[in-house]
Amino acid sequence: STVGERTTRVVGATYAIGGATIGYQWSKDSNVTAGNYYENNAYGASFAVNDNLTISYGNHESEKGTESGTQTTKLKGQSVQLSYTVGGASIKFAESDVDNQNYVSGTNREGRTIALTLAF
């Protein structure tokens, strides 16, 4: 990648009411010298069902392209998470997938995470 003049712009906001929180962020990082950019849109929502159980969802879409518009590739990732806590123990679950991993068309991946954490 060419090093040179870069421009980065970011705008984001969150809003919480009761047990629900939503958020959105837009960003664009341009390398003026090389003539390429990354443009990102991300949003998420979480809901605390009660003191022990929280459910959340996140989505991130990113476009890698050239300022001339001759080449663009889109990446998309999303995840659903669940967390349950009792005392010092938490069990967490996430189901995630990504389309066009590393901005390479057709490289789609899925994954699951299950974690148990203990606090002493």
Side-chain angles (χ1 to χ4, degrees):
S1 137
T2 303
V3 177
E5 182 182 345
R6 296 185 75 95
T7 303
T8 302
R9 296 176 298 275
V10 179
V11 176
T14 60
Y15 181 75
I17 184 167
T21 302
I22 59 171
Y24 173 80
Q25 179 178 309
W26 172 88
S27 65
K28 185 170 184 178
D29 181 26
S30 300
N31 185 326
V32 178
T33 305
N36 56 30
Y37 70 88
Y38 293 90
E39 185 169 353
N40 303 286
N41 285 287
Y43 61 89
S46 68
F47 182 68
V49 177
N50 55 42
D51 289 342
N52 300 339
L53 179 64
T54 301
I55 301 169
S56 60
Y57 172 79
N59 183 296
H60 178 220
E61 295 181 16
S62 181
E63 179 178 281
K64 176 183 178 182
T66 58
E67 295 294 349
S68 64
T70 58
Q71 180 184 10
T72 60
T73 307
K74 293 187 179 183
L75 174 146
K76 180 178 179 181
Q78 59 187 356
S79 183
V80 175
Q81 304 93 31
L82 177 76
S83 172
Y84 186 75
T85 303
V86 177
S90 295
I91 187 159
K92 301 167 188 171
F93 173 79
E95 178 76 27
S96 306
D97 65 75
V98 64
D99 296 338
N100 300 333
Q101 173 183 293
N102 295 324
Y103 301 95
V104 177
S105 183
T107 56
N108 305 335
R109 301 287 186 263
E110 295 179 357
R112 277 178 208 86
T113 303
I114 299 173
L116 174 64
T117 56
L118 303 172
F120 295 97

